[in-house]
Structure formats: structure tokens, C-alpha cells
Amino acid sequence: EKITDNTNFDDHQNNIDTAVMLFHHNSGLTRFSSVEDLESEDETSRSIAREDLLKEISRQKLSSEEKSKLVAKYLKAQGTGGYNGAKYGRNGNSHADAITCASCGVRTLNAGDNAGESKLFSLDEIDTLMMDEDAAQDMDEMLKEENIVEIPTSATGEFINVNPHNVRSYYKYAEVDGNVRYYHLHREFVDEEATDNAIV
């Protein structure tokens, strides 16, 4: 079936023929169909195919103005770029805060006035994320294991030795009395210097 200006793709979720046609259309095969003629034995066909291809490629090029607008839009979405009303993060720098859930790792950038709902928690407020005694003991034992793997760090054959358990998402908090607590947290999002009890 041939795609025309009257082709309707509204039912693509329920009609397999329509879905296949839509996939074919979005693949670019119809837009660059003349590419096949680049290998034609006929010089005229090859010449026309090259001309069509160059025209299509030139239409995809962005002007300097279009590039500037896209970059400005991207920077505004991050909260940077000096646009009117921009807020540069709570530390006053030129980068937007990445509002992050320290438990699941989901994050969103705080752009301008769109701070969203975020809150800092002390460890004492999130007992539900603390590993129970058995899980904490298992974690402690795993971190002590000599289960080392070599990770390549360059194309020249250099490696570093890594314990795979060290890259797991956990946070270890040592109390003054020596007691150790483990939490189901991304430790890179825990601010140990904020208070005596850490903040996430």
C-alpha cells in the first residue's frame, strides 16, 4: 500500500498494517528513496540522485540563529544562561540544582522558578530506608570480600581493581560510639558535612 497525503495513521496502535506503514515512513526510506540510484549504471540517474540527496541534507542544516535559539532553550531548561528570572541554584553558582531522590536516584533540574517540591532529610527522619540487622551484616561482609575484578581504564591495557560490591547503592554511616548503620541510599547524594547526622 502506498503512502499518500490522505493516508491516515490515527489507528496505528490497533492496526498492524498502519503501524508498519508508519514505521516505514518514519524510517526515512521514503525521504531518501533516490539513494538507491547512486549505484545506478545510468550516469543521469546517479547525478539526479546526488543532487536530490544534497538538497535534502541542506534542508536539515540549522542556521546560526536556529542553533542559538536551541542552545538558549536548552540552557533555560537547566536554569542557566542568564535569561530573565533565572535562579542559579542554592549555592549561587551558574548551574541549576539537580533535585534528586537519594533513594531511587530519580532527578530533575531546578530551572528558574520551577523548583518543584523538594526537601532535605536527616538520617534520623528516614529510618524506613535503614537496612535491618541481617541485611547490614550481609552488606558488611560483602564489602570485605576479596571479590576483585579488573576494569580497563585505557586503550593501552591499563586496569584498576574494583570490588563490585563497592559500586552498589548503599550509604554507610558510622556513629561516634562505633556503631555502623547502612541505608538504601545513593551515597553520592548524601551531604555528610551538613550536620553531625548527615543530610540526604
Side-chain angles (χ1 to χ4, degrees):
E1 188 172 350
K2 187 175 181 179
I3 297 176
T4 68
D5 292 338
N6 296 322
T7 301
N8 189 334
F9 295 111
D10 292 342
D11 197 35
H12 68 277
Q13 293 183 335
N14 302 309
N15 188 308
I16 189 170
D17 293 331
T18 304
V20 172
M21 289 173 60
L22 186 62
F23 175 79
H24 174 77
H25 182 65
N26 288 336
S27 68
L29 291 176
T30 55
R31 180 190 299 175
F32 300 105
S33 58
S34 60
V35 170
E36 298 177 359
D37 292 333
L38 288 174
E39 298 181 355
S40 172
E41 295 181 358
D42 180 55
E43 174 61 31
T44 302
S45 297
R46 292 200 303 272
S47 178
I48 293 175
R50 281 194 297 270
E51 185 177 343
D52 289 345
L53 185 59
L54 289 173
K55 287 180 179 179
E56 185 60 44
I57 292 174
S58 66
R59 281 199 291 266
Q60 305 305 314
K61 295 174 64 176
L62 297 176
S63 67
S64 297
E65 182 179 357
E66 288 173 318
K67 291 178 183 177
S68 297
K69 288 182 178 180
L70 287 173
V71 171
K73 183 178 180 181
Y74 172 75
L75 292 175
K76 183 175 181 179
Q78 292 190 75
T80 62
Y83 64 94
N84 293 334
K87 292 184 178 180
Y88 294 125
R90 66 169 185 257
N91 295 323
N93 56 39
S94 60
H95 300 286
D97 286 335
I99 306 302
T100 308
C101 174
S103 178
C104 67
V106 170
R107 67 189 71 181
T108 181
L109 288 168
N110 170 11
D113 297 323
N114 300 318
E117 295 182 3
S118 61
K119 180 181 178 181
L120 299 177
F121 293 89
S122 68
L123 294 180
D124 287 338
E125 296 177 282
I126 52 174
D127 288 342
T128 54
L129 296 177
M130 185 171 66
M131 298 184 189
D132 60 33
E133 187 175 346
D134 291 337
Q137 184 175 350
D138 290 341
M139 177 62 72
D140 199 54
E141 292 176 355
M142 284 191 294
L143 293 175
K144 295 176 181 177
E145 289 179 0
E146 294 297 328
N147 184 18
I148 304 299
V149 295
E150 288 187 335
I151 305 294
T153 58
S154 71
T156 58
E158 297 176 345
F159 292 83
I160 59 172
N161 293 326
V162 175
N163 182 340
H165 297 302
N166 281 328
V167 299
R168 295 181 54 166
S169 295
Y170 73 91
Y171 174 68
K172 179 180 180 180
Y173 181 74
E175 298 177 335
V176 178
D177 59 7
N179 185 39
V180 174
R181 290 181 283 169
Y182 284 95
Y183 290 83
H184 296 285
L185 294 170
H186 289 259
R187 53 190 179 279
E188 65 269 26
F189 301 131
V190 179
D191 187 353
E192 295 181 331
E193 299 180 358
T195 68
D196 292 336
N197 193 34
I199 282 184
V200 300

